[in-house]
Amino acid sequence: MSQQGTVRLTMAQALITYLQEQWVERDGVETKFFAGCFGIFGHGNIAGIGQALGQMPAFRYYQTRNEQAMVHTAIAYAKTKNRLQTFACTSSIGPGATNMITGAATATINRLPVLLLPGDIFARRNVAPVLQQVEYEGSQDFSANDCFRPVSRYWDRINRPEQLITALPAALRVLTDPAATGAVTLAMPQDVQAEAFEYPADFFARRVWRIGRPRADRAALERAAAWMRASERPLIIAGGGVHYSEATDALQRLVERIGIPVGETMAGKGSLRFDHPYNLGAIGTTGTFAANRIARDADLIIGIGTRYSDFTTASQTAFQYPTARFININVASFDSAKQGALALTSDARATIEELTALLGEYRVADEYRAQAAQLHDGWEAEVERIYAIRNTPLPSQGELIGAVNEHGDAEAIMVCAAGSLPGDLHKLWRTRHTKQYHLEYGNSCMGYEIAGGLGIKMAAPEREVYVMVGDGSFLMLSAEIITSIQEGYKLTIVLIDNDGYKSIGALSRSLGQEGFGTRYLYPQEGVLPDDRFGDDVERLPVDLAANARSLGAQVIECQGYDDFVAALATAKEAEHTTVIYIQNDRLLGVPGYESWWDVPVAAVSTQPTVVAARAEWEEGRAKERLFFGQEDQ
Ligand SMILES: Cc1ncc(C[n+]2csc(CCOP(=O)(O)OP(=O)(O)O)c2C)c(N)n1
Ligand SMILES: [Mg+2]
């Protein structure tokens, strides 16, 4: 039994007391794991967690505007902190809870830790159905919170206050384990939150979760070194794990020593500076011709901290060398086993360092290095070309990205998530420090941008934060502008308006579907206008600049490129959240560079454009490969 006796607390008070005492340690540095709690109160959490947070102000409570947004703020914070710190998120029951499900999916897909505490229906049941309870005829042991199960890495329901004693350590184990992390959901029945229990005092002692650097199996490591020596055209794919493991310096040393070129995923961008000669930039569907050409002929692909999404593999068409094989360095065996790889299930930094030592004086051939360097330079020239476009009457997105990149603060962090911006940014953004490029492209969730920007600013208040957001995403979730003002976290929000979905419009066109349903326009004779209506359309009376102003932001409206550059300078000096509003050309896009994405086209259609697109799709589909793993050659 306890050496120090017990403490009588409500379940919610015990929860907060425990969370305050949780720390992580990596490389000898200890960090408090929870920076506080985001929340929106309702009857499902006000008397429990709400009461506890009010009584314990040391565990800072932040009020937000939308439950999905607050989870995204927590995710962005955790990503900026390389998973060493995060937030808890409390919601009421019913819609407040289910609003967090999208956030849970975003966390789990991106392997980022967040603790979700949705309120739940009464455990004691006698007053059921309570307000917002989904009744399920087949069992009383179900609630809407069961929907969190498939999007959580750990899920539990606390039906008795003492269940916290086993649930919380299990939750913390998952949150702090780099191989297991993602959303953790502890459903909190409303009545149980307020019940008191005699908790053992020892349960609340300071607890440090040690995050190690697991090493790869020695035999597998030696085999990997042998594969690398035997390779004539190796390529590294740098994923998010390079950042989370803080392996960027180690990666640079390996690359410079051996001369291996690098392609970067959405989460891995910034692993090397953009101007490093071996950095071929973005890889895959939204990749550069430099990375995609090298990938096509690579005989050995070394994936570091990547989950091989279809954007990275160009829907499994990126690697065409007949006997291409893979080595994967990943802390999660689930990911290291992908692509039939030789799996080095281990910490990225530790394994890169061990591999570098094992490879000794080995170098790739000069000719291959020269080819990579030439492709790098060729790509830089292409970026220059796109940055220099001065389209009229409306600017192109490429030139606006160039303006933010070149005229914005060089130490800033840029954030984006959905629309046509991510693909353009992946190709064009010149990353000058490791954390500068923050893309949520696992869930690519519209509405992440502003909420995420807030989380980044909270994690790195010394940096400027540029939120790049389209009109569609802005309309979905922009109310965290208010939270940024309430809490004094300045954001610079670049709001790019093109009257709808430039991205999905272009996708629709590529499928032969003429942009149907992707513009914000009045219907004509009961039909939403597509491309066939040309400019003979009526725009909606929406004023997004006024909308942003109404939330308390300073708003600068720009007409063209020069205005936009001037606005960036004004925003840099501003003290609180500033929105730079600009319209851009909805049709002028940055092209794809020798890559593909599998979006199946209708197999039969009355539209000739669809039939033509289907034939093209079948050709692309034929290039998709399977990798079963190669024995030593
Ligand atoms: C929550 C959510 N719903 C739908 C989508 C599918 N989707 C991806 S991009 C996009 C349009 C985004 O529009 P906007 O933010 O204006 O960016 P643009 O495409 O115009 O650059 C949609 C609907 C998504 N990614 N996320
Ligand atoms: Mg748009």
Side-chain angles (χ1 to χ4, degrees):
M1 284 307 292
S2 164
Q3 294 170 355
Q4 293 178 16
T6 58
V7 211
R8 187 168 168 79
L9 296 171
T10 67
M11 182 267 255
Q13 292 159 0
L15 166 77
I16 303 302
T17 309
Y18 179 91
L19 296 184
Q20 313 198 90
E21 296 300 332
Q22 304 308 303
W23 294 69
V24 292
E25 175 271 325
R26 186 167 72 178
D27 303 329
V29 181
E30 290 187 1
T31 317
K32 210 165 203 188
F33 190 59
F34 292 101
C37 184
F38 294 116
I40 292 182
F41 296 136
H43 66 97
N45 60 344
I46 183 97
I49 295 179
Q51 189 281 329
L53 288 168
Q55 181 173 308
M56 287 181 261
F59 197 73
R60 179 69 211 274
Y61 167 68
Y62 296 88
Q63 179 186 42
T64 71
R65 270 75 208 165
N66 174 293
E67 292 87 356
Q68 182 188 126
M70 77 186 175
V71 182
H72 285 154
T73 303
I75 290 169
Y77 186 93
K79 184 173 163 103
T80 309
K81 293 282 189 181
N82 289 332
R83 311 198 280 213
L84 298 173
Q85 242 189 330
T86 187
F87 276 86
C89 296
T90 172
S91 79
S92 190
I93 78 168
T98 52
N99 267 357
M100 295 203 293
I101 292 173
T102 301
T106 305
T108 295
I109 292 173
N110 287 290
R111 280 83 161 128
L112 291 165
V114 287
L115 176 61
L116 307 182
L117 304 166
D120 210 328
I121 56 173
F122 281 45
R124 83 174 127 88
R125 296 181 179 169
N126 64 313
V127 291
V130 295
L131 178 66
Q132 301 171 323
Q133 175 167 352
V134 181
E135 290 177 273
Y136 178 62
E137 287 176 59
S139 170
Q140 293 182 46
D141 193 30
F142 260 74
S143 83
N145 285 339
D146 287 85
C147 300
F148 281 94
R149 287 177 187 258
V151 289
S152 299
R153 296 303 305 272
Y154 180 81
W155 184 99
D156 213 342
R157 181 179 280 127
I158 312 299
N159 277 314
R160 295 164 62 102
E162 62 268 44
Q163 287 176 345
L164 270 191
I165 297 169
T166 52
L168 281 174
L172 265 289
R173 174 188 65 76
V174 171
L175 287 168
T176 59
D177 176 352
T181 200
V184 166
T185 302
L186 299 181
M188 300 264 144
Q190 179 185 337
D191 51 344
V192 184
Q193 288 180 43
E195 279 171 25
F197 182 75
E198 296 281 345
Y199 286 93
D202 288 352
F203 181 56
F204 304 112
R206 187 175 189 272
R207 170 79 204 260
V208 183
W209 299 82
R210 312 242 169 232
I211 302 177
R213 294 192 175 275
R215 312 272 149 170
D217 173 70
R218 191 70 198 172
L221 194 72
E222 280 168 11
R223 175 168 291 136
W227 281 24
M228 287 173 75
R229 281 197 205 94
S231 163
E232 289 178 4
R233 308 184 61 80
L235 166 71
I236 287 174
I237 298 180
V242 172
H243 290 286
Y244 305 143
S245 159
E246 293 170 353
T248 51
D249 291 347
L251 176 70
Q252 188 174 333
R253 280 192 295 274
L254 173 75
V255 165
E256 286 171 0
R257 175 87 85 75
I258 298 179
I260 303 186
V262 175
E264 297 176 317
T265 72
M266 280 279 189
K269 200 166 151 96
S271 293
L272 293 177
R273 260 184 71 105
F274 80 97
D275 49 4
H276 194 284
Y278 295 136
N279 186 358
L280 304 180
I283 192 160
T285 305
T286 50
T288 68
F289 59 68
N292 287 343
R293 274 183 212 164
I294 291 287
R296 192 180 56 214
D297 298 325
D299 58 5
L300 178 66
I301 296 100
I302 303 152
I304 310 180
T306 173
R307 44 191 284 276
Y308 288 100
S309 86
D310 62 348
F311 267 70
T312 297
T313 67
S315 300
Q316 297 293 4
T317 63
F319 315 109
Q320 290 294 336
Y321 188 79
T323 55
R325 52 187 185 173
F326 293 78
I327 296 170
N328 288 341
I329 303 172
N330 205 298
V331 73
S333 62
F334 176 71
D335 288 316
S336 66
K338 287 177 176 174
Q339 305 291 101
L342 195 177
L344 301 179
T345 307
S346 57
D347 172 70
R349 194 174 88 187
T351 298
I352 292 170
E353 282 168 354
E354 289 189 351
L355 260 183
T356 311
L358 259 185
L359 285 163
E361 295 305 307
Y362 166 74
R363 299 269 183 289
V364 303
D366 288 349
E367 198 180 286
Y368 184 53
R369 291 207 296 201
Q371 186 197 0
Q374 198 183 2
L375 281 167
H376 167 91
D377 294 348
W379 176 254
E380 284 312 310
E382 176 66 356
V383 175
E384 289 294 336
R385 181 187 73 78
I386 294 172
Y387 277 13
I389 293 171
R390 295 289 176 267
N391 197 60
T392 53
L394 294 178
S396 68
Q397 196 150 276
E399 67 192 274
L400 297 179
I401 289 171
V404 179
N405 188 275
E406 293 186 325
H407 298 282
D409 190 301
E411 293 301 311
I413 298 178
M414 180 281 302
V415 52
C416 187
S420 59
L421 276 163
D424 293 359
L425 288 163
H426 195 207
K427 292 170 205 160
L428 301 178
W429 187 262
R430 291 177 154 173
T431 313
R432 294 180 169 82
H433 67 82
T434 57
K435 279 285 164 198
Q436 197 183 25
Y437 182 88
H438 182 125
L439 253 287
E440 188 287 286
Y441 212 68
N443 213 18
S444 186
C445 187
M446 289 169 76
Y448 177 90
E449 299 86 348
I450 293 171
L454 175 61
I456 295 167
K457 187 69 181 175
M458 292 175 81
E462 70 287 0
R463 293 190 190 270
E464 292 288 310
V465 174
Y466 293 103
V467 176
M468 305 281 284
V469 61
D471 53 323
S473 272
F474 183 89
L475 280 169
M476 232 180 241
L477 258 182
S478 46
E480 297 316 311
I481 286 178
I482 302 169
T483 313
S484 82
I485 289 164
Q486 180 179 26
E487 294 290 344
Y489 288 109
K490 176 198 164 187
L491 305 175
T492 298
I493 299 169
V494 176
L495 169 52
I496 298 185
D497 187 1
N498 45 31
D499 277 339
Y501 306 159
K502 181 180 183 209
S503 52
I504 308 298
L507 180 61
S508 167
R509 245 160 258 130
S510 77
L511 306 174
Q513 295 171 203
E514 323 232 29
F516 172 69
T518 61
R519 295 177 72 185
Y520 292 143
L521 299 169
Y522 280 108
Q524 295 187 21
E525 291 169 23
V527 175
L528 284 171
D530 61 18
D531 288 352
R532 285 169 290 194
F533 287 68
D535 291 331
D536 187 19
V537 292
E538 205 184 337
R539 294 185 57 192
L540 304 180
V542 180
D543 186 341
L544 293 181
N547 184 290
R549 205 173 283 120
S550 77
L551 301 178
Q554 172 189 347
V555 179
I556 310 171
E557 293 183 60
C558 308
Q559 301 300 330
Y561 180 86
D562 294 339
D563 269 7
F564 187 70
V565 170
L568 286 166
T570 309
K572 211 159 149 181
E573 301 308 318
E575 302 224 318
H576 82 277
T577 295
T578 302
V579 173
I580 301 177
Y581 173 87
I582 188 154
Q583 294 182 354
N584 84 337
D585 190 293
R586 73 182 179 89
L587 293 172
L588 183 60
V590 179
Y593 294 91
E594 303 175 30
S595 196
W596 195 58
W597 186 35
D598 186 347
V599 178
V601 185
V604 287
S605 171
T606 53
Q607 293 170 280
T609 44
V610 173
V611 175
R614 172 79 188 189
E616 215 174 290
W617 171 80
E618 276 164 4
E619 269 173 45
R621 169 107 176 70
K623 298 200 183 86
E624 291 177 6
R625 293 190 63 187
L626 290 166
F627 298 96
F628 302 108
Q630 297 270 337
E631 284 304 305
D632 288 354
Q633 287 159 343

